[in-house]
Short mmCIF file of all heavy atoms in Angstrom, two decimals:
data_model
loop_
_atom_site.label_atom_id
_atom_site.label_comp_id
_atom_site.label_asym_id
_atom_site.label_seq_id
_atom_site.Cartn_x
_atom_site.Cartn_y
_atom_site.Cartn_z
N MET A 260 20.39 80.78 -46.80
CA MET A 260 19.64 82.06 -46.74
C MET A 260 20.14 82.83 -45.52
O MET A 260 20.36 84.03 -45.64
CB MET A 260 18.18 81.78 -46.55
CG MET A 260 17.38 81.26 -47.73
SD MET A 260 17.30 82.25 -49.20
CE MET A 260 17.25 83.90 -48.64
N ASN A 261 20.28 82.19 -44.37
CA ASN A 261 20.67 82.92 -43.15
C ASN A 261 22.06 83.49 -43.34
O ASN A 261 22.29 84.69 -43.00
CB ASN A 261 20.62 81.98 -41.96
CG ASN A 261 19.19 81.50 -41.66
OD1 ASN A 261 18.28 81.93 -42.31
ND2 ASN A 261 19.10 80.65 -40.68
N THR A 262 23.01 82.71 -43.87
CA THR A 262 24.37 83.19 -43.99
C THR A 262 24.39 84.34 -45.02
O THR A 262 25.08 85.36 -44.83
CB THR A 262 25.29 82.05 -44.52
OG1 THR A 262 25.13 80.93 -43.60
CG2 THR A 262 26.73 82.51 -44.60
N PHE A 263 23.63 84.16 -46.12
CA PHE A 263 23.58 85.18 -47.14
C PHE A 263 23.08 86.52 -46.56
O PHE A 263 23.69 87.56 -46.78
CB PHE A 263 22.68 84.72 -48.29
CG PHE A 263 22.51 85.73 -49.38
CD1 PHE A 263 23.49 85.95 -50.33
CD2 PHE A 263 21.36 86.52 -49.41
CE1 PHE A 263 23.34 86.91 -51.36
CE2 PHE A 263 21.16 87.48 -50.43
CZ PHE A 263 22.17 87.64 -51.37
N TYR A 264 21.99 86.49 -45.80
CA TYR A 264 21.40 87.73 -45.31
C TYR A 264 22.22 88.32 -44.14
O TYR A 264 22.16 89.56 -43.91
CB TYR A 264 19.94 87.59 -44.92
CG TYR A 264 19.10 87.75 -46.17
CD1 TYR A 264 18.58 86.70 -46.89
CD2 TYR A 264 18.89 89.08 -46.66
CE1 TYR A 264 17.86 86.90 -48.05
CE2 TYR A 264 18.19 89.28 -47.85
CZ TYR A 264 17.67 88.18 -48.53
OH TYR A 264 16.96 88.37 -49.70
N GLN A 265 23.01 87.49 -43.45
CA GLN A 265 23.93 88.06 -42.46
C GLN A 265 24.95 88.94 -43.14
O GLN A 265 25.32 90.00 -42.67
CB GLN A 265 24.65 86.94 -41.67
CG GLN A 265 23.79 86.41 -40.50
CD GLN A 265 24.34 85.13 -39.94
OE1 GLN A 265 25.42 84.68 -40.26
NE2 GLN A 265 23.53 84.49 -39.05
N LYS A 266 25.35 88.52 -44.34
CA LYS A 266 26.31 89.31 -45.13
C LYS A 266 25.63 90.55 -45.69
O LYS A 266 26.20 91.64 -45.71
CB LYS A 266 26.92 88.48 -46.24
CG LYS A 266 27.83 87.38 -45.73
CD LYS A 266 28.40 86.57 -46.91
CE LYS A 266 29.28 85.43 -46.40
NZ LYS A 266 29.70 84.54 -47.49
N VAL A 267 24.38 90.39 -46.15
CA VAL A 267 23.62 91.50 -46.72
C VAL A 267 23.44 92.63 -45.66
O VAL A 267 23.71 93.79 -45.96
CB VAL A 267 22.22 91.03 -47.23
CG1 VAL A 267 21.29 92.23 -47.44
CG2 VAL A 267 22.35 90.19 -48.49
N MET A 268 23.13 92.24 -44.42
CA MET A 268 22.84 93.25 -43.35
C MET A 268 24.02 94.16 -43.16
O MET A 268 23.76 95.35 -42.86
CB MET A 268 22.56 92.51 -42.02
CG MET A 268 21.18 92.12 -41.86
SD MET A 268 20.99 91.49 -40.15
CE MET A 268 20.83 89.75 -40.42
N VAL A 269 25.27 93.71 -43.34
CA VAL A 269 26.41 94.51 -43.06
C VAL A 269 27.14 95.01 -44.34
O VAL A 269 28.19 95.61 -44.28
CB VAL A 269 27.42 93.81 -42.09
CG1 VAL A 269 26.80 93.57 -40.73
CG2 VAL A 269 27.89 92.49 -42.72
N ASP A 270 26.56 94.70 -45.49
CA ASP A 270 27.17 95.04 -46.75
C ASP A 270 27.19 96.59 -46.89
O ASP A 270 26.17 97.25 -46.73
CB ASP A 270 26.43 94.41 -47.91
CG ASP A 270 27.17 94.61 -49.21
OD1 ASP A 270 26.92 95.66 -49.87
OD2 ASP A 270 27.98 93.76 -49.63
N GLU A 271 28.33 97.12 -47.27
CA GLU A 271 28.45 98.59 -47.35
C GLU A 271 27.62 99.19 -48.49
O GLU A 271 27.27 100.37 -48.44
CB GLU A 271 29.93 98.98 -47.50
CG GLU A 271 30.60 98.50 -48.75
CD GLU A 271 32.07 98.93 -48.81
OE1 GLU A 271 32.70 99.02 -47.74
OE2 GLU A 271 32.59 99.12 -49.95
N ARG A 272 27.31 98.40 -49.49
CA ARG A 272 26.55 98.97 -50.64
C ARG A 272 25.01 98.80 -50.48
O ARG A 272 24.26 99.69 -50.84
CB ARG A 272 27.00 98.34 -51.95
CG ARG A 272 28.33 98.89 -52.44
CD ARG A 272 29.00 97.96 -53.46
NE ARG A 272 29.18 96.64 -52.79
CZ ARG A 272 29.78 95.62 -53.41
NH1 ARG A 272 30.11 95.71 -54.66
NH2 ARG A 272 30.00 94.49 -52.79
N ILE A 273 24.59 97.67 -49.96
CA ILE A 273 23.12 97.44 -49.93
C ILE A 273 22.52 97.25 -48.54
O ILE A 273 21.35 97.23 -48.35
CB ILE A 273 22.72 96.23 -50.82
CG1 ILE A 273 23.34 94.93 -50.29
CG2 ILE A 273 23.06 96.51 -52.28
CD1 ILE A 273 22.80 93.69 -51.02
N GLY A 274 23.41 97.11 -47.50
CA GLY A 274 22.96 96.89 -46.10
C GLY A 274 21.92 97.92 -45.68
O GLY A 274 20.94 97.54 -45.04
N TYR A 275 22.16 99.18 -45.96
CA TYR A 275 21.23 100.23 -45.51
C TYR A 275 19.83 100.06 -46.05
O TYR A 275 18.87 100.55 -45.44
CB TYR A 275 21.78 101.62 -45.91
CG TYR A 275 21.64 101.97 -47.37
CD1 TYR A 275 20.51 102.66 -47.79
CD2 TYR A 275 22.61 101.61 -48.29
CE1 TYR A 275 20.38 103.00 -49.16
CE2 TYR A 275 22.51 101.93 -49.63
CZ TYR A 275 21.38 102.59 -50.07
OH TYR A 275 21.23 102.89 -51.39
N MET A 276 19.67 99.37 -47.17
CA MET A 276 18.33 99.25 -47.71
C MET A 276 17.48 98.30 -46.85
O MET A 276 16.25 98.21 -47.02
CB MET A 276 18.37 98.66 -49.12
CG MET A 276 19.02 99.61 -50.11
SD MET A 276 18.84 98.98 -51.78
CE MET A 276 20.15 99.91 -52.58
N PHE A 277 18.17 97.58 -45.95
CA PHE A 277 17.42 96.62 -45.04
C PHE A 277 17.34 97.14 -43.63
O PHE A 277 16.94 96.39 -42.74
CB PHE A 277 18.08 95.25 -45.10
CG PHE A 277 18.01 94.64 -46.52
CD1 PHE A 277 18.94 94.95 -47.48
CD2 PHE A 277 17.00 93.76 -46.84
CE1 PHE A 277 18.86 94.39 -48.73
CE2 PHE A 277 16.91 93.23 -48.13
CZ PHE A 277 17.88 93.56 -49.08
N SER A 278 17.83 98.37 -43.37
CA SER A 278 17.96 98.83 -41.99
C SER A 278 16.60 99.06 -41.32
O SER A 278 16.53 99.13 -40.10
CB SER A 278 18.72 100.15 -41.95
OG SER A 278 18.11 101.10 -42.68
N HIS A 279 15.51 99.11 -42.11
CA HIS A 279 14.21 99.26 -41.45
C HIS A 279 13.65 97.95 -40.92
O HIS A 279 12.67 97.91 -40.24
CB HIS A 279 13.17 99.80 -42.53
CG HIS A 279 13.00 98.81 -43.70
ND1 HIS A 279 13.93 98.67 -44.63
CD2 HIS A 279 11.98 98.03 -44.02
CE1 HIS A 279 13.46 97.77 -45.52
NE2 HIS A 279 12.30 97.36 -45.18
N ILE A 280 14.35 96.84 -41.28
CA ILE A 280 13.96 95.52 -40.74
C ILE A 280 14.71 95.30 -39.42
O ILE A 280 15.91 95.11 -39.48
CB ILE A 280 14.22 94.40 -41.76
CG1 ILE A 280 13.61 94.74 -43.11
CG2 ILE A 280 13.65 93.06 -41.23
CD1 ILE A 280 13.89 93.73 -44.17
N GLN A 281 14.00 95.28 -38.30
CA GLN A 281 14.67 95.23 -37.02
C GLN A 281 14.21 93.93 -36.26
O GLN A 281 13.09 93.49 -36.41
CB GLN A 281 14.31 96.45 -36.17
CG GLN A 281 14.83 97.77 -36.74
CD GLN A 281 16.33 97.92 -36.72
OE1 GLN A 281 16.99 97.38 -35.84
NE2 GLN A 281 16.89 98.59 -37.73
N GLY A 282 15.13 93.48 -35.39
CA GLY A 282 14.82 92.42 -34.44
C GLY A 282 14.08 91.22 -35.05
O GLY A 282 14.55 90.63 -36.02
N SER A 283 12.92 90.87 -34.46
CA SER A 283 12.25 89.70 -34.85
C SER A 283 11.63 89.76 -36.28
O SER A 283 11.25 88.79 -36.87
CB SER A 283 11.13 89.34 -33.88
OG SER A 283 10.13 90.44 -33.83
N HIS A 284 11.61 90.99 -36.83
CA HIS A 284 11.10 91.13 -38.17
C HIS A 284 12.03 90.45 -39.19
O HIS A 284 11.62 90.07 -40.27
CB HIS A 284 10.91 92.62 -38.55
CG HIS A 284 9.68 93.24 -37.81
ND1 HIS A 284 8.42 92.99 -38.23
CD2 HIS A 284 9.63 93.98 -36.71
CE1 HIS A 284 7.59 93.64 -37.40
NE2 HIS A 284 8.31 94.23 -36.44
N TRP A 285 13.31 90.36 -38.81
CA TRP A 285 14.24 89.66 -39.71
C TRP A 285 13.81 88.20 -39.88
O TRP A 285 13.90 87.68 -40.97
CB TRP A 285 15.69 89.69 -39.16
CG TRP A 285 16.47 90.80 -39.82
CD1 TRP A 285 16.94 91.92 -39.26
CD2 TRP A 285 16.88 90.83 -41.20
NE1 TRP A 285 17.60 92.67 -40.23
CE2 TRP A 285 17.59 92.02 -41.41
CE3 TRP A 285 16.75 89.95 -42.28
CZ2 TRP A 285 18.15 92.39 -42.65
CZ3 TRP A 285 17.31 90.31 -43.52
CH2 TRP A 285 17.99 91.51 -43.69
N GLN A 286 13.42 87.57 -38.77
CA GLN A 286 13.01 86.16 -38.85
C GLN A 286 11.77 86.07 -39.78
O GLN A 286 11.69 85.13 -40.61
CB GLN A 286 12.63 85.67 -37.43
CG GLN A 286 12.46 84.18 -37.35
CD GLN A 286 13.63 83.35 -37.96
OE1 GLN A 286 14.82 83.79 -37.81
NE2 GLN A 286 13.34 82.31 -38.67
N LYS A 287 10.84 87.01 -39.71
CA LYS A 287 9.60 86.97 -40.57
C LYS A 287 10.10 87.14 -42.01
O LYS A 287 9.54 86.50 -42.93
CB LYS A 287 8.68 88.08 -40.16
CG LYS A 287 7.88 87.76 -38.89
CD LYS A 287 6.68 88.71 -38.80
CE LYS A 287 5.64 88.25 -37.83
NZ LYS A 287 6.02 87.66 -36.63
N TYR A 288 11.03 88.10 -42.25
CA TYR A 288 11.50 88.32 -43.61
C TYR A 288 12.17 87.10 -44.13
O TYR A 288 11.93 86.63 -45.30
CB TYR A 288 12.46 89.53 -43.60
CG TYR A 288 13.02 89.81 -45.00
CD1 TYR A 288 12.19 90.27 -46.03
CD2 TYR A 288 14.35 89.63 -45.27
CE1 TYR A 288 12.66 90.55 -47.29
CE2 TYR A 288 14.84 89.84 -46.56
CZ TYR A 288 14.02 90.31 -47.58
OH TYR A 288 14.49 90.57 -48.80
N LEU A 289 13.07 86.47 -43.31
CA LEU A 289 13.78 85.24 -43.76
C LEU A 289 12.77 84.12 -44.06
O LEU A 289 12.93 83.45 -45.07
CB LEU A 289 14.71 84.82 -42.68
CG LEU A 289 16.00 85.65 -42.54
CD1 LEU A 289 16.78 85.17 -41.34
CD2 LEU A 289 16.86 85.61 -43.77
N GLU A 290 11.76 84.02 -43.24
CA GLU A 290 10.75 82.94 -43.49
C GLU A 290 10.03 83.20 -44.86
O GLU A 290 9.69 82.27 -45.57
CB GLU A 290 9.75 82.90 -42.32
CG GLU A 290 10.40 82.20 -41.14
CD GLU A 290 9.63 82.39 -39.85
OE1 GLU A 290 8.47 82.84 -39.90
OE2 GLU A 290 10.23 82.04 -38.78
N LYS A 291 9.81 84.49 -45.17
CA LYS A 291 9.19 84.82 -46.46
C LYS A 291 10.15 84.42 -47.56
O LYS A 291 9.72 83.82 -48.60
CB LYS A 291 8.92 86.31 -46.53
CG LYS A 291 8.09 86.71 -47.72
CD LYS A 291 8.16 88.21 -47.91
CE LYS A 291 7.34 88.96 -46.89
NZ LYS A 291 7.41 90.44 -47.17
N MET A 292 11.47 84.67 -47.40
CA MET A 292 12.42 84.35 -48.39
C MET A 292 12.57 82.79 -48.57
O MET A 292 12.75 82.33 -49.67
CB MET A 292 13.80 84.97 -48.11
CG MET A 292 13.73 86.51 -48.09
SD MET A 292 12.97 87.21 -49.54
CE MET A 292 14.20 86.88 -50.83
N TYR A 293 12.45 82.05 -47.43
CA TYR A 293 12.46 80.60 -47.56
C TYR A 293 11.31 80.15 -48.47
O TYR A 293 11.49 79.30 -49.37
CB TYR A 293 12.26 79.93 -46.23
CG TYR A 293 13.26 80.24 -45.10
CD1 TYR A 293 12.88 80.09 -43.75
CD2 TYR A 293 14.56 80.63 -45.37
CE1 TYR A 293 13.73 80.41 -42.71
CE2 TYR A 293 15.43 80.93 -44.30
CZ TYR A 293 15.00 80.81 -42.99
OH TYR A 293 15.85 81.07 -41.97
N ARG A 294 10.15 80.76 -48.25
CA ARG A 294 8.96 80.37 -49.03
C ARG A 294 9.16 80.73 -50.47
O ARG A 294 8.78 79.97 -51.36
CB ARG A 294 7.68 80.98 -48.47
CG ARG A 294 7.29 80.44 -47.09
CD ARG A 294 5.83 80.84 -46.70
NE ARG A 294 5.72 82.30 -46.65
CZ ARG A 294 5.91 83.03 -45.57
NH1 ARG A 294 6.41 82.50 -44.48
NH2 ARG A 294 5.72 84.35 -45.61
N PHE A 295 9.71 81.94 -50.74
CA PHE A 295 10.01 82.36 -52.11
C PHE A 295 10.86 81.35 -52.86
O PHE A 295 10.53 80.90 -53.98
CB PHE A 295 10.64 83.75 -52.09
CG PHE A 295 11.20 84.18 -53.45
CD1 PHE A 295 10.32 84.68 -54.40
CD2 PHE A 295 12.53 84.08 -53.77
CE1 PHE A 295 10.81 85.11 -55.65
CE2 PHE A 295 13.01 84.47 -55.00
CZ PHE A 295 12.14 84.99 -55.95
N TRP A 296 11.98 80.99 -52.22
CA TRP A 296 12.93 80.05 -52.89
C TRP A 296 12.35 78.66 -53.00
O TRP A 296 12.54 77.97 -54.02
CB TRP A 296 14.27 80.07 -52.19
CG TRP A 296 15.04 81.31 -52.53
CD1 TRP A 296 15.34 82.38 -51.72
CD2 TRP A 296 15.52 81.72 -53.83
NE1 TRP A 296 15.96 83.34 -52.38
CE2 TRP A 296 16.13 83.00 -53.68
CE3 TRP A 296 15.53 81.13 -55.05
CZ2 TRP A 296 16.74 83.68 -54.77
CZ3 TRP A 296 16.08 81.80 -56.15
CH2 TRP A 296 16.66 83.04 -55.98
N GLU A 297 11.66 78.21 -51.94
CA GLU A 297 11.02 76.91 -51.97
C GLU A 297 10.05 76.79 -53.12
O GLU A 297 9.99 75.79 -53.86
CB GLU A 297 10.30 76.67 -50.62
CG GLU A 297 9.59 75.35 -50.54
CD GLU A 297 8.83 75.22 -49.24
OE1 GLU A 297 8.04 76.16 -48.91
OE2 GLU A 297 9.05 74.23 -48.53
N SER A 298 9.28 77.86 -53.34
CA SER A 298 8.29 77.91 -54.41
C SER A 298 8.95 77.82 -55.78
O SER A 298 8.53 77.12 -56.65
CB SER A 298 7.46 79.17 -54.34
OG SER A 298 6.72 79.24 -53.19
N ASN A 299 10.09 78.54 -55.91
CA ASN A 299 10.79 78.61 -57.19
C ASN A 299 11.58 77.26 -57.49
O ASN A 299 11.60 76.83 -58.61
CB ASN A 299 11.70 79.82 -57.27
CG ASN A 299 10.91 81.06 -57.56
OD1 ASN A 299 10.51 81.28 -58.71
ND2 ASN A 299 10.64 81.83 -56.54
N ILE A 300 12.27 76.82 -56.43
CA ILE A 300 13.16 75.68 -56.70
C ILE A 300 12.44 74.36 -56.64
O ILE A 300 12.68 73.47 -57.44
CB ILE A 300 14.37 75.72 -55.66
CG1 ILE A 300 15.21 76.97 -55.85
CG2 ILE A 300 15.25 74.43 -55.84
CD1 ILE A 300 16.26 77.19 -54.77
N PHE A 301 11.55 74.21 -55.68
CA PHE A 301 10.89 72.88 -55.50
C PHE A 301 9.43 72.87 -55.95
O PHE A 301 8.71 71.93 -55.72
CB PHE A 301 10.97 72.51 -53.99
CG PHE A 301 12.38 72.39 -53.47
CD1 PHE A 301 12.84 73.21 -52.46
CD2 PHE A 301 13.30 71.53 -54.06
CE1 PHE A 301 14.14 73.15 -52.00
CE2 PHE A 301 14.58 71.46 -53.61
CZ PHE A 301 15.03 72.26 -52.62
N ASP A 302 9.01 74.02 -56.60
CA ASP A 302 7.69 74.04 -57.18
C ASP A 302 6.61 73.79 -56.11
O ASP A 302 5.59 73.06 -56.35
CB ASP A 302 7.53 73.07 -58.31
CG ASP A 302 6.37 73.42 -59.28
OD1 ASP A 302 6.02 74.64 -59.28
OD2 ASP A 302 5.90 72.55 -59.97
N VAL A 303 6.82 74.34 -54.93
CA VAL A 303 5.85 74.25 -53.84
C VAL A 303 5.13 75.65 -53.77
O VAL A 303 5.70 76.67 -53.96
CB VAL A 303 6.59 74.04 -52.47
CG1 VAL A 303 5.62 74.10 -51.30
CG2 VAL A 303 7.38 72.74 -52.51
N ASP A 304 3.81 75.54 -53.61
CA ASP A 304 3.03 76.74 -53.67
C ASP A 304 2.95 77.49 -52.28
O ASP A 304 1.85 77.55 -51.70
CB ASP A 304 1.60 76.46 -54.21
CG ASP A 304 0.81 77.66 -54.56
OD1 ASP A 304 1.40 78.73 -54.73
OD2 ASP A 304 -0.43 77.57 -54.56
N SER A 305 4.08 77.98 -51.83
CA SER A 305 4.09 78.53 -50.44
C SER A 305 4.30 80.03 -50.40
O SER A 305 4.24 80.66 -49.38
CB SER A 305 5.15 77.87 -49.58
OG SER A 305 6.37 77.96 -50.17
N TYR A 306 4.60 80.65 -51.59
CA TYR A 306 4.86 82.08 -51.61
C TYR A 306 3.91 82.74 -52.64
O TYR A 306 3.83 82.27 -53.81
CB TYR A 306 6.30 82.38 -52.05
CG TYR A 306 6.59 83.86 -52.31
CD1 TYR A 306 6.82 84.73 -51.27
CD2 TYR A 306 6.54 84.38 -53.60
CE1 TYR A 306 7.08 86.07 -51.45
CE2 TYR A 306 6.77 85.68 -53.80
CZ TYR A 306 7.05 86.57 -52.75
OH TYR A 306 7.19 87.89 -52.96
N GLN A 307 3.16 83.76 -52.21
CA GLN A 307 2.22 84.47 -53.12
C GLN A 307 2.49 85.93 -53.19
O GLN A 307 1.59 86.71 -53.41
CB GLN A 307 0.78 84.18 -52.71
CG GLN A 307 0.24 82.81 -53.02
CD GLN A 307 0.50 81.83 -51.89
OE1 GLN A 307 0.60 82.26 -50.72
NE2 GLN A 307 0.55 80.53 -52.22
N GLY A 308 3.71 86.34 -52.98
CA GLY A 308 4.02 87.80 -52.93
C GLY A 308 4.25 88.41 -54.31
O GLY A 308 4.10 87.71 -55.31
N ASN A 309 4.64 89.64 -54.31
CA ASN A 309 4.91 90.37 -55.55
C ASN A 309 6.24 91.08 -55.39
O ASN A 309 6.32 92.26 -55.10
CB ASN A 309 3.77 91.42 -55.81
CG ASN A 309 3.93 92.05 -57.15
OD1 ASN A 309 5.04 92.08 -57.77
ND2 ASN A 309 2.86 92.61 -57.67
N PRO A 310 7.37 90.34 -55.64
CA PRO A 310 8.70 90.94 -55.45
C PRO A 310 8.98 92.16 -56.33
O PRO A 310 9.59 93.12 -55.87
CB PRO A 310 9.64 89.78 -55.83
CG PRO A 310 8.82 88.55 -55.82
CD PRO A 310 7.45 88.94 -56.08
N MET A 311 8.43 92.13 -57.58
CA MET A 311 8.65 93.28 -58.45
C MET A 311 8.15 94.57 -57.83
O MET A 311 8.83 95.60 -57.84
CB MET A 311 8.03 92.99 -59.80
CG MET A 311 8.44 94.00 -60.87
SD MET A 311 10.24 93.97 -61.14
CE MET A 311 10.41 92.62 -62.28
N LEU A 312 6.89 94.51 -57.35
CA LEU A 312 6.31 95.70 -56.71
C LEU A 312 7.16 96.16 -55.48
O LEU A 312 7.39 97.36 -55.37
CB LEU A 312 4.86 95.36 -56.27
CG LEU A 312 4.04 96.52 -55.80
CD1 LEU A 312 3.84 97.57 -56.92
CD2 LEU A 312 2.65 96.02 -55.31
N GLN A 313 7.55 95.23 -54.69
CA GLN A 313 8.38 95.51 -53.50
C GLN A 313 9.65 96.26 -53.89
O GLN A 313 9.99 97.27 -53.30
CB GLN A 313 8.78 94.25 -52.81
CG GLN A 313 7.79 93.75 -51.74
CD GLN A 313 7.96 94.49 -50.41
OE1 GLN A 313 8.90 95.19 -50.24
NE2 GLN A 313 7.03 94.26 -49.55
N HIS A 314 10.31 95.82 -54.96
CA HIS A 314 11.55 96.40 -55.35
C HIS A 314 11.35 97.76 -56.04
O HIS A 314 12.24 98.61 -55.91
CB HIS A 314 12.36 95.41 -56.20
CG HIS A 314 12.83 94.24 -55.46
ND1 HIS A 314 12.19 93.04 -55.43
CD2 HIS A 314 13.88 94.07 -54.63
CE1 HIS A 314 12.80 92.20 -54.61
NE2 HIS A 314 13.85 92.80 -54.14
N ILE A 315 10.28 97.93 -56.73
CA ILE A 315 9.96 99.27 -57.29
C ILE A 315 9.83 100.25 -56.13
O ILE A 315 10.37 101.36 -56.20
CB ILE A 315 8.70 99.22 -58.15
CG1 ILE A 315 9.01 98.41 -59.46
CG2 ILE A 315 8.24 100.61 -58.50
CD1 ILE A 315 7.78 98.10 -60.28
N GLU A 316 9.14 99.82 -55.05
CA GLU A 316 8.98 100.75 -53.92
C GLU A 316 10.33 101.06 -53.27
O GLU A 316 10.62 102.14 -52.88
CB GLU A 316 7.99 100.13 -52.88
CG GLU A 316 6.55 100.19 -53.41
CD GLU A 316 5.58 99.36 -52.51
OE1 GLU A 316 6.04 98.83 -51.50
OE2 GLU A 316 4.41 99.29 -52.88
N VAL A 317 11.15 100.02 -53.19
CA VAL A 317 12.51 100.20 -52.55
C VAL A 317 13.36 101.18 -53.42
O VAL A 317 13.99 102.04 -52.95
CB VAL A 317 13.24 98.84 -52.40
CG1 VAL A 317 14.71 99.04 -52.02
CG2 VAL A 317 12.56 98.00 -51.34
C1 LIG B 1610 20.82 94.32 -54.59
C2 LIG B 1610 19.73 93.61 -54.77
C3 LIG B 1610 18.52 93.61 -53.92
C4 LIG B 1610 18.15 94.46 -52.93
C5 LIG B 1610 18.86 95.69 -52.43
C6 LIG B 1610 16.85 94.03 -52.44
C7 LIG B 1610 16.14 94.64 -51.46
C8 LIG B 1610 14.96 94.19 -50.93
C9 LIG B 1610 14.18 94.87 -49.92
C10 LIG B 1610 14.56 96.12 -49.17
C11 LIG B 1610 13.01 94.16 -49.75
C12 LIG B 1610 11.86 94.52 -48.83
C13 LIG B 1610 12.08 94.01 -47.45
C14 LIG B 1610 10.87 94.33 -46.56
O1 LIG B 1610 10.80 95.42 -46.10
O2 LIG B 1610 10.01 93.41 -46.40
C15 LIG B 1610 13.06 93.04 -50.70
C16 LIG B 1610 12.09 92.06 -50.74
C17 LIG B 1610 12.22 90.92 -51.54
N1 LIG B 1610 13.22 90.56 -52.36
FE1 LIG B 1610 14.84 91.76 -52.71
N2 LIG B 1610 16.51 92.90 -53.09
C18 LIG B 1610 17.47 92.61 -54.00
C19 LIG B 1610 17.53 91.50 -54.85
C20 LIG B 1610 16.61 90.47 -54.92
C21 LIG B 1610 16.73 89.30 -55.72
C22 LIG B 1610 17.86 89.03 -56.68
C23 LIG B 1610 15.67 88.54 -55.39
C24 LIG B 1610 15.26 87.17 -56.00
C25 LIG B 1610 15.84 86.56 -57.00
C26 LIG B 1610 14.90 89.19 -54.41
C27 LIG B 1610 13.72 88.72 -53.86
C28 LIG B 1610 12.94 89.39 -52.96
C29 LIG B 1610 11.70 88.89 -52.43
C30 LIG B 1610 11.03 87.55 -52.79
C31 LIG B 1610 11.24 89.83 -51.56
C32 LIG B 1610 9.91 89.75 -50.76
C33 LIG B 1610 8.80 90.40 -51.52
C34 LIG B 1610 7.48 90.32 -50.71
O3 LIG B 1610 7.27 91.09 -49.77
O4 LIG B 1610 6.68 89.40 -51.03
N3 LIG B 1610 15.52 90.37 -54.10
N4 LIG B 1610 14.22 93.08 -51.38
#
């Protein structure tokens, strides 16, 4: 996840969509993404967000 998002941050096509996430907020965002993937891959109930709504807003 960390390596992936390091690439996302500087990606010329999508990096700007994440430019509002600054400093320690990246850590919070990454922790949310860990929970998202953990919930999906390992069937752990640690993420309760709504990604579809988030992406519609983006
Ligand atoms: C080019 C493709 C994508 C872009 C540009 C994108 C962009 C974003 C942005 C800007 C956010 C909001 C960050 C914030 O302010 O908190 C977000 C949230 C999120 N994205 Fe994506 N995304 C992409 C693809 C995906 C894919 C493929 C997945 C999963 C398979 C995904 C899962 C999520 C999740 C789980 C969140 C958090 C939603 C919440 O707040 O609960 N995204 N994405």
Side-chain angles (χ1 to χ4, degrees):
M260 288 298 326
N261 294 357
T262 305
F263 177 78
Y264 275 102
Q265 277 167 10
K266 292 180 181 172
V267 165
M268 273 188 254
V269 296
D270 187 274
E271 62 182 32
R272 284 162 297 183
I273 63 170
Y275 74 92
M276 293 188 200
F277 297 84
S278 60
H279 63 288
I280 307 176
Q281 297 291 328
S283 61
H284 289 282
W285 262 112
Q286 192 53 38
K287 286 197 163 37
Y288 179 68
L289 287 174
E290 285 166 11
K291 190 195 288 182
M292 297 310 288
Y293 302 154
R294 292 194 299 275
F295 170 79
W296 285 112
E297 179 183 54
S298 296
N299 281 283
I300 296 171
F301 301 119
D302 202 23
V303 174
D304 190 22
S305 58
Y306 173 81
Q307 283 90 26
N309 186 339
M311 191 59 84
L312 188 62
Q313 272 278 352
H314 291 95
I315 289 169
E316 288 170 4
V317 168

